[in-house]
Amino acid sequence: MKKKLIYVLCALLVLSGVFIYIFLNKDKDTSNEKIAKNDPEIEKLVGISQAEMSSFVFVTQESESNHILNINLTPFLNFIVEQKEIESFKILNFKGINSRSEVVLIPPTDLSLDTVSRTFLFTTQDSITQQDIQASADSFVYSVLSTASKFNEINSKGVLTPYFGVIIKDIGRVNYKEIIDRDGSFDGGKYLEYSKVALEALDTEIQFDINIEFTDGEKYNKRFQGTLKGESFATETSPMITLQVVE
């Protein structure tokens, strides 16, 4: 009888452990999981000719006394696909980490690639505010066409250039009116200096996956990772980030 009771108690302990594990991990971030490695033959199908991001500080003018600084990151990604046509192209599992600011993935819109002037949100509105910069997803899918003509489209073969953006929100604030009243002028090139933000606070980690599916069902996966070093803004207006392939 005692042995039976011990067995029952052990079983209950095991079940309790399982339930606790499931509860604690149900919302766990899975973006750190290893990405599936491509077979050598699949790897040969896709060439990566460029993998970088440029960074640039821009301002949203919420009011005369509240100019908010942000950083826009523009990817320069080029894939060469010559042997087969693709059926699907996705950006997946985006993750941006900054110690003090929100990092937002900006999906492309159906705005024409020929658009002369656009915002960092792939719109043609006159200006944007903080309210316009909202996180909507960590993944999105492109429309695949023989020749892409919109930002949310991508070529089915040849040079594949995925357009999207990343914005690091509200990295610092400047009272424009106060500086004008104090100095009698305002130098737009000194926003970071006026904000007195510590450059190291701008350090940001970026990671995302690329998933390509060919028309025959074969899939190509690749994870990219890059680091923005805030101190680079001390000497550069638009620092470049090298995107490394994560194996």
Side-chain angles (χ1 to χ4, degrees):
M1 185 68 181
K2 287 184 178 179
K3 285 185 178 181
K4 187 176 180 180
L5 181 60
I6 291 172
Y7 291 149
V8 171
L9 289 174
C10 288
L12 288 173
L13 284 172
V14 171
L15 287 172
S16 298
V18 171
F19 287 133
I20 290 171
Y21 176 84
I22 293 172
F23 177 78
L24 291 177
N25 290 275
K26 64 184 178 70
D27 296 318
K28 188 178 179 180
D29 180 9
T30 60
S31 59
N32 283 326
E33 293 180 0
K34 288 187 177 181
I35 191 168
K37 194 169 184 178
N38 300 313
D39 290 332
E41 292 305 311
I42 299 296
E43 191 72 29
K44 292 178 184 177
L45 296 175
V46 181
I48 304 171
S49 60
Q50 188 175 17
E52 299 175 298
M53 298 184 90
S54 68
S55 59
F56 181 79
V57 175
F58 74 97
V59 177
T60 57
Q61 300 181 10
E62 308 297 313
S63 69
E64 192 177 12
S65 59
N66 186 23
H67 287 197
I68 300 181
L69 282 65
N70 315 269
I71 297 176
N72 179 72
L73 302 178
T74 299
F76 293 95
L77 274 171
N78 286 313
F79 300 90
I80 310 297
V81 178
E82 298 289 358
Q83 299 180 45
K84 296 183 180 182
E85 288 197 349
I86 72 166
E87 186 173 276
S88 172
F89 192 105
K90 302 174 184 176
I91 302 288
L92 302 172
N93 303 320
F94 171 81
K95 182 170 68 171
I97 300 175
N98 178 280
S99 62
R100 56 178 285 174
S101 302
E102 182 183 9
V103 184
V104 178
L105 176 66
I106 307 297
T109 67
D110 61 359
L111 196 66
S112 171
L113 291 172
D114 296 329
T115 303
V116 177
S117 179
R118 66 172 178 86
T119 70
F120 295 128
L121 306 180
F122 298 96
T123 63
T124 57
Q125 60 200 79
D126 293 334
S127 62
I128 59 176
T129 65
Q130 290 294 294
Q131 188 173 355
D132 297 316
I133 308 171
Q134 300 292 336
S136 59
D138 64 357
S139 303
F140 53 88
V141 183
Y142 291 85
S143 296
V144 178
L145 299 170
S146 57
T147 302
S149 63
K150 299 176 181 179
F151 285 106
N152 62 356
E153 298 175 348
I154 202 160
N155 293 338
S156 60
K157 198 174 182 181
V159 179
L160 278 55
T161 303
Y163 290 93
F164 63 95
V166 176
I167 292 178
I168 309 169
K169 289 185 63 175
D170 196 357
I171 62 170
R173 301 191 176 204
V174 171
N175 189 324
Y176 175 85
K177 185 177 184 303
E178 185 180 80
I179 292 172
I180 286 288
D181 292 342
R182 182 192 69 198
D183 300 342
S185 63
F186 188 95
D187 186 344
K190 293 184 177 180
Y191 263 108
L192 279 175
E193 180 181 330
Y194 290 141
S195 72
K196 298 180 180 179
V197 63
L199 292 182
E200 59 267 24
L202 307 182
D203 291 355
T204 305
E205 298 285 339
I206 300 295
Q207 180 177 292
F208 59 90
D209 299 340
I210 295 290
N211 174 268
I212 298 173
E213 184 172 349
F214 295 92
T215 53
D216 61 5
E218 291 186 312
K219 295 181 180 180
Y220 170 93
N221 299 287
K222 195 66 69 176
R223 174 166 293 171
F224 293 91
Q225 191 174 67
T227 302
L228 172 66
K229 291 292 185 182
E231 62 184 16
S232 58
F233 283 102
T235 56
E236 301 175 67
T237 302
S238 184
M240 294 296 293
I241 303 168
T242 300
L243 294 173
Q244 305 286 350
V245 171
V246 181
E247 297 294 349

